[in-house]
Structures are given as C-alpha cells and as structure tokens.
C-alpha cells in the first residue's frame, strides 16, 4: 500500500520538529529519536561537568536524570509513554509490598506480562492507523488497514477510509493476517519498554539475592551484584527512567548505577589497580572524552552504511521468485551473508550512540586493560570486531546485544533449575515480541547452539597441533559461524511464517538437518547445571579465603 501523503509526519510524540522532518523527508519519529539522543549527549557532558558528585548531591543528580528522562519519553512517545510510567509504578509497588522470597517472581510475571500485552496490542494499533514510535520502541512507517474495495453505485468503486470503523469480521481477518503475514516495514528497533522490563527484573532478582538468600547460595557474580536494601522512590525512578538510557538503553546493574550517581563508580574500578607500581602518586582521573569521540565516529560510519547499503540490499530479495529461479544455491548463501551484513549498521548506530551518551555522563568505566588503557565498555552492547571475526556461534552471541545477553544470563540461565539453554532462548523470543519469526530464530538458535557445542567438544582439540592447522580450522569455523548466524536470523527480519518457510525451503533446511545429524552422531558431553553451580560456589569460596 502506498504511504499516505504526509504520513511520515504523524506521530503521538512531539511535532516540534515537523518542519525538519518535511524538509528531509524522514519520518518524524526518527527525527525525534535522533534529536533526543543528540540532546542527551550534550546534556550528559553538562551533567558530568556541572552536576558532578563534587558539585551536587546524589538527590540532585537523581532528580535531574529522572526529570530529563521523563521529558525525553514524552517528547518521543507522547501519550504512549504512559505505559512506561504505569509499569514502573506497578513494579515499585510490588517491590515494597511483596515478600522478599517472591519479589523476583512477582516482578518478573508483571513486567513480562505487561510487555507481552503491549506487544500484542501493537498488532491492533499497527493495523488501525496510528503512525508512531510505539511503546515497545518499534518505529513503523506504514499503518492502517489495507484498502477495502467494493462495487456499487453503478459499478463505481467505493473505498473505505483508512481510519473508518471495521466490522468484527474484518478485525478478525486483519489480526490473523498480521500474525501470518505481518507488515515488515520496520525501520528501527528501539526498545524503551523492553529495557525497563530488563531493569525491573534485574533489580528484583538482585534484591532477592541480597536480602532473601545466604551468601553461600550465590555465585560469585550474584554475590557481587546483590542489593542489600530496597531503593527509595527517587532512586528507583532514576535507575529506570534516567535520560541516558530511557530511549535506547542499555540495561545496567543497580549497584553500578548508584555508584555512578554517588561518585564511587570510577573510584571502585581504579582501586583494583596498584597505581604506585605504575609511578602514580595518586589515583588518576580518567576522562571519557576520547571514548565518546571514538564511538561517535563509529556511529557516523554506521549511519552512512545504513543510508547507502541497508536499503539497497533488502532481506526480502532472498525469497523473490525470480531470484530463486535463476540463482544457484551457493550464490544464494553468499547473498544471504551480504543482506545480513547490510542489516547490521542500524543496530551499530543505535547501540553505539547510546553507549556514547552514557560515557559522556561519566558512566560506563570498566577499569584498566593489560596495556594500562582506561576502558569505557561496561555498558557497551556490542563488540564489532569480535562479531565480524567470530569463529563460534557462542562467541557471536556473546558479542551481540551484550547487555541483553547478560540480563538473560542473570535472570534466567543462572536461575533455571533445568534446560537453561532452551528456557533462555524462549525468554529472549518472548521479550522481543510475538511475531512468529522471532520464535523461528530462537528455536533454530537452540538447535545450532547445541550442535556447535557438540562439534567443539568433540573435534576442536584435533586441530590445535600446529599453527597452520589451527588457522585453517579458524577460517572454516568463521565461515560456518557467519552462515549459521545468517540462516538463524533471517526469520527475525522477515517476521512472518510464510516468508520464513519459503526461505528455509529455498536453502533446503540445511542447517536444521546438519544440526540434527550432529546431535545424533556425536556424543554429547554436557555440563549440568548443578555442576556449574558447584563450580561457581568453589570460585566464591576461593575468593573469600583469599580475602581472609
């Protein structure tokens, strides 16, 4: 359906930048997003310089971060932002009224339940004429139901207006169509409600660890991040709604955020290094400016690549009938790799810019590397070099959407009594939304992860005998990993059942078949969840004995 004239300028958010949107021909939702992030970047520098812990109290820093965050949410999402505030206040009530033994369960059910309802309602909103950056953060270009034509008045066509009421039968039909063949014109994946859901469940689990469990029951990481007291309302609002992460994240740990607000964030990391041996008389004062400039350069390059590559290599082309008829199998795999690469710059842009905003405020310092360089990657959501050179499915996943992977590990994988891998993938799919393509991706990911683990456990040691053999092994595993990722994520972009099945048929379900054969033929040597817990406990006991 052709886009209605002026449609890019309709939004539930602010229309202040409407003239700029009209001038550039870019949807107003995207203009609002970029404007907020750029303004947040400037505000972050000001926040670090003029509201530093030495110039302002923690309460003032909390209040400023919260109020600016609320303003950005209202500016971008308008009345849709009420969903953010409703979920935050509901979760705060649970945190204060629920028993500590159940606080993580209740918070998880409410936050994930509310997010899922919002995902479901987006389908209705999407098909009935609201053009907006919705509350789950998906920017949409084409909205409203398809035109419905009938013949009447002497053969003249009557056309129903886009916002006209629909009959129950039409509503049901459109809902079914949205599930089976959803519109794929999604141009940006920004997730404010999803990030808040991560933060709510993270804090609830860490509160449960700090108050409701004994230290001996925790892993080393759980013990380090455990929260010993319930936060105040101001602290809670600041953690969830601060202007650095309200628009595009990322999720961070509560203790790290509070340490940042109180001015202990950098100091704690610096104390881990013996600076006298390095010739320092006092602790250095690392500046994030260099890291911010570097990340802004990556952001600019990503934006250029998005504008030049992404729209010229659409994922939909890999299921075009003409393309399938005249392109051999290996060429199809090559094009699949190209279109997957072309889809990445928009994520590189959004996540790197969000990281730069946090660093500009002085948040995100992670310590000093072996070369003595200050690192500002505590909140980084991706490692581009490791992604592009990954030689295993696991390595790829660990460097893509890092903070979400950490959240999944902390709230699901480390706590699941059985089948942690499967439950983690299922939770990831549910968190992303209800489109069938998400579930194809994550269920396929489970199969490939298990197969890759079996191959690595059974075969890798045979290729470590010499450097040339190891290099050849790395080249082969790199190529297989990249193609496996492309194969797995294609449904995530296509969203719907029909194009997903068509794509998998066109490549003969080869990754599914190979993964199943690997699991059937190679012996598995799984590390049970109880063994992992025992190992984690040994690490914790060892660290305690060292402290003594």
């Amino acid at each position: 359906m052709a886009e209605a004239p002026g449609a890019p300028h309709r939004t539930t958010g602010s229309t202040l930048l409407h003239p700029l949107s009209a001038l550039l021909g870019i949807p107003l939702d995207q203009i609002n997003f970029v404007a907020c992030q750029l303004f947040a970047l400037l505000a972050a520098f000001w926040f670090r310089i003029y509201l530093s812990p030495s110039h302002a109290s923690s309460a003032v820093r909390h209040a400023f971060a919260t109020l600016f965050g609320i303003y950005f949410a209202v500016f971008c999402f308008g009345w849709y932002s009420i969903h953010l505030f409703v979920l935050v206040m509901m979760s705060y009530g649970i945190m204060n009224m629920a028993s500590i033994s159940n606080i993580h369960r209740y918070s998880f059910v409410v936050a994930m339940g509310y997010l899922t309802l919002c995902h479901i309602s987006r389908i209705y909103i999407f098909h009935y004429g609201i053009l907006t950056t919705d509350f789950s953060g998906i920017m949409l270009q084409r909205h409203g139901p398809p035109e419905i034509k009938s013949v009447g008045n002497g053969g003249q066509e009557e056309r129903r207006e886009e916002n006209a009421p629909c009959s129950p039968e039409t509503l049901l039909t459109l809902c079914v169509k949205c599930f089976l063949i959803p519109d794929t014109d999604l141009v940006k994946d920004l997730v404010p409600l999803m990030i808040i859901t991560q933060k709510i469940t993270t804090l609830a689990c860490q509160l449960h660890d700090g108050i409701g469990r004994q230290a001996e029951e925790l892993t080393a990481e759980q013990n380090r991040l455990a929260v010993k007291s319930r936060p105040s309302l101001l602290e809670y609002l600041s953690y969830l709604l601060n202007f650095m992460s309200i628009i595009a994240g990322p999720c961070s740990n509560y203790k790290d955020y509070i340490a940042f607000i109180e001015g202990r964030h950098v100091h704690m990391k610096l104390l881990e290094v013996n600076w006298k041996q390095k010739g320092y008389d006092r602790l250095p004062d690392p500046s994030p400016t260099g890291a911010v400039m570097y990340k802004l350069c990556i952001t600019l390059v990503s934006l250029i690549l998005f504008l030049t590559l992404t729209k010229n290599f659409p994922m939909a082309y890999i299921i075009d009938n003409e393309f399938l008829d005249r392109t051999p199998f290996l060429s199809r795999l090559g094009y699949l790799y190209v279109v997957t690469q072309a889809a990445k710059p928009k994520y590189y842009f959004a996540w790197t810019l969000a990281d730069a905003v946090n660093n500009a405020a002085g948040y995100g310092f992670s310590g000093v590397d072996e070369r003595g360089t200050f690192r500002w990657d505590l909140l980084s959501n991706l490692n581009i070099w490791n992604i592009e050179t990954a030689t295993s499915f696991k390595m790829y996943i660990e460097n893509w959407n890092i903070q979400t992977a950490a959240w999944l590990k902390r709230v699901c994988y480390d706590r699941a009594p059985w089948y942690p891998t499967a439950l983690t993938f299922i939770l990831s799919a549910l968190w992303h939304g209800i489109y069938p393509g998400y579930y194809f991706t994550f269920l396929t990911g489970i199969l490939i992860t298990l197969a890759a683990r079996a191959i690595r456990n059974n075969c890798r040691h045979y290729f470590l005998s010499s450097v040339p053999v190891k290099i050849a092994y790395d080249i082969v595993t790199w190529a297989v990993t990249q193609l496996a990722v492309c194969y797995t994520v294609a449904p995530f972009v296509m969203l719907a059942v029909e194009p997903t099945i068509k794509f998998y048929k066109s490549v003969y379900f080869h990754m599914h078949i190979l993964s199943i054969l690997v699991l059937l033929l190679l012996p598995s040597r799984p590390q049970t969840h109880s063994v992992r817990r025992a190992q984690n406990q040994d690490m914790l006991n060892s660290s305690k004995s060292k402290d003594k």
Side-chain angles (χ1 to χ4, degrees):
M1 184 185 76
E3 190 172 331
H9 311 307
R10 293 161 55 199
T11 178
T12 57
S14 172
T15 59
L16 179 65
L17 300 178
H18 180 182
L20 181 60
S21 174
L23 177 65
L24 299 177
I26 298 176
L28 184 54
D29 301 88
Q30 298 176 49
I31 294 291
N32 284 348
F33 161 74
V34 175
C36 276
Q37 286 296 80
L38 293 179
F39 188 75
L41 183 67
L42 297 176
F45 277 116
W46 188 90
F47 184 79
R48 180 172 62 88
I49 296 171
Y50 296 102
L51 284 184
S52 65
S54 60
H55 291 87
S57 66
S58 297
V60 172
R61 285 166 60 84
H62 277 306
F64 180 90
T66 304
L67 292 175
F68 262 62
I70 292 173
Y71 174 76
F72 288 162
V74 174
F75 184 90
C76 274
F77 311 121
W79 63 266
Y80 269 24
S81 59
I82 193 172
H83 289 283
L84 305 177
F85 309 139
V86 167
L87 179 57
V88 167
M89 296 313 298
M90 286 170 51
S91 300
Y92 184 73
I94 291 172
M95 188 191 66
N96 281 281
M97 293 187 292
S99 64
I100 199 63
S101 59
N102 291 312
I103 188 173
H104 59 307
R105 297 188 182 96
Y106 295 157
S107 296
F108 181 88
V109 170
V110 169
M112 283 301 303
Y114 195 91
L115 176 62
T116 302
L117 288 176
C118 289
H119 280 311
I120 294 172
S121 66
R122 185 181 69 209
I123 294 177
Y124 173 79
I125 293 172
F126 174 78
H127 275 275
Y128 285 86
I130 297 180
L131 176 63
T132 181
T133 307
D134 69 7
F135 40 77
S136 66
I138 305 296
M139 287 189 178
L140 307 171
Q141 281 187 321
R142 293 189 291 155
H143 295 255
E147 295 172 348
I148 300 173
K149 299 179 181 179
S150 62
V151 179
N153 298 327
Q156 295 180 347
E157 288 185 344
E158 293 179 347
R159 184 171 299 177
R160 176 175 295 181
E161 294 297 323
E162 284 191 353
N163 294 322
C166 291
S167 66
E169 293 80 6
T170 303
L171 174 61
L172 177 60
T173 301
L174 290 174
C175 286
V176 172
K177 284 183 65 179
C178 188
F179 182 78
L180 295 177
I181 314 174
D183 195 310
T184 59
D185 198 4
L186 308 177
V187 295
K188 205 72 173 175
D189 186 13
L190 307 172
V191 287
L193 188 64
M194 295 161 73
I195 294 298
I196 284 178
T197 297
Q198 288 186 357
K199 290 184 177 182
I200 288 170
T201 52
T202 295
L203 176 55
C205 287
Q206 292 170 352
L207 264 175
H208 173 67
D209 292 341
I211 303 177
R213 300 174 67 188
Q214 299 297 320
E216 294 75 18
E217 302 172 1
L218 307 177
T219 66
E221 182 184 56
Q222 289 171 347
N223 191 64
R224 177 176 61 85
L225 298 175
V227 178
K228 303 295 184 181
S229 61
R230 289 179 169 89
S232 67
L233 177 60
L234 180 59
E235 291 171 333
Y236 193 75
L237 294 178
S238 177
Y239 172 60
L240 296 181
L241 300 174
N242 66 81
F243 73 92
M244 291 95 70
S245 63
I246 185 66
I247 301 299
C251 175
S252 62
N253 293 299
Y254 178 77
K255 286 184 74 173
D256 289 333
Y257 180 75
I258 293 301
F260 155 69
I261 290 293
E262 295 177 355
R264 298 179 285 106
H265 170 60
V266 174
H267 186 74
M268 290 190 312
K269 303 294 183 182
L270 291 175
L271 289 178
E272 298 173 2
V273 178
N274 189 336
W275 292 101
K276 288 186 178 180
Q277 290 183 352
K278 295 180 177 294
Y280 286 82
D281 294 330
R282 58 182 180 178
L283 290 178
D285 184 20
S287 170
T289 303
V292 172
M293 294 299 108
Y294 172 73
K295 291 173 184 179
L296 289 179
C297 289
I298 294 177
T299 298
L300 179 60
V301 172
S302 300
L303 180 60
I304 294 172
L305 291 175
F306 171 72
L307 295 175
T308 56
L309 289 181
T310 303
K311 296 182 180 180
N312 292 323
F313 294 95
M315 180 69 75
Y317 191 60
I318 64 175
I319 55 172
D320 178 77
N321 290 329
E322 183 181 352
F323 173 78
L324 295 177
D325 290 339
R326 63 181 176 83
T327 308
F329 175 71
L330 292 180
S331 297
R332 275 179 261 160
L333 292 183
Y335 187 77
L336 174 63
Y337 176 74
V338 171
V339 297
T340 304
Q341 292 297 103
K344 292 178 183 177
K346 62 181 179 181
Y347 298 102
Y348 292 171
F349 170 81
W351 288 340
T352 307
L353 179 57
D355 193 15
V357 170
N358 281 275
N359 290 170
Y363 188 28
F365 183 71
S366 58
V368 183
D369 63 18
E370 60 276 2
R371 295 172 296 178
T373 304
F374 297 124
R375 296 171 52 197
W376 289 87
D377 58 359
L378 181 68
L379 303 179
S380 294
N381 229 347
L382 74 170
N383 185 316
I384 297 176
W385 175 256
N386 287 347
I387 287 171
E388 302 301 342
T389 61
T391 57
S392 71
F393 204 74
K394 179 176 180 290
M395 180 180 176
Y396 196 105
I397 293 174
E398 287 177 345
N399 289 280
W400 176 270
N401 207 352
I402 295 171
Q403 302 307 323
T404 293
W407 169 71
L408 290 167
K409 177 179 181 295
R410 289 165 185 158
V411 304
C412 183
Y413 190 86
D414 287 345
R415 300 174 191 273
W418 52 78
Y419 305 117
T421 299
L423 290 175
T424 300
F425 273 106
I426 292 171
L427 173 59
S428 183
L430 184 64
W431 177 77
H432 278 90
I434 62 169
Y435 283 120
Y438 299 156
Y439 296 86
F440 276 102
T441 286
F442 291 110
L443 292 176
T444 301
I446 295 173
L447 191 63
I448 293 180
T449 298
L450 296 176
R453 184 182 300 167
I455 292 174
R456 189 175 183 85
N457 288 342
N458 287 278
C459 303
R460 184 173 183 271
H461 56 279
Y462 293 116
F463 298 92
L464 303 180
S465 57
S466 66
V467 173
V469 173
K470 176 65 166 58
I471 292 175
Y473 174 80
D474 287 341
I475 293 173
V476 172
T477 53
W478 172 84
V480 173
T481 296
Q482 299 298 322
L483 288 178
V485 169
C486 297
Y487 180 94
T488 303
V489 304
F492 193 94
V493 180
M494 295 176 181
L495 298 178
V497 173
E498 183 179 351
T500 295
I501 297 300
K502 185 176 181 180
F503 162 71
Y504 280 146
K505 283 183 178 179
S506 72
V507 292
Y508 312 113
F509 290 90
H510 68 279
M511 281 291 177
H512 287 93
I513 295 171
L514 290 174
S515 297
I516 292 172
L517 289 176
V518 165
L519 294 175
L520 291 175
L521 297 177
L522 291 182
S524 61
R525 294 184 293 176
Q527 184 182 34
T528 64
H529 211 46
S530 58
V531 171
R532 288 200 315 273
R533 290 179 184 272
Q535 290 177 345
N536 287 331
Q537 187 60 49
D538 290 342
M539 291 172 59
L540 177 60
N541 294 336
S542 176
S543 64
K544 285 183 177 180
S545 63
K546 289 180 181 179
D547 292 339
K548 291 179 182 179

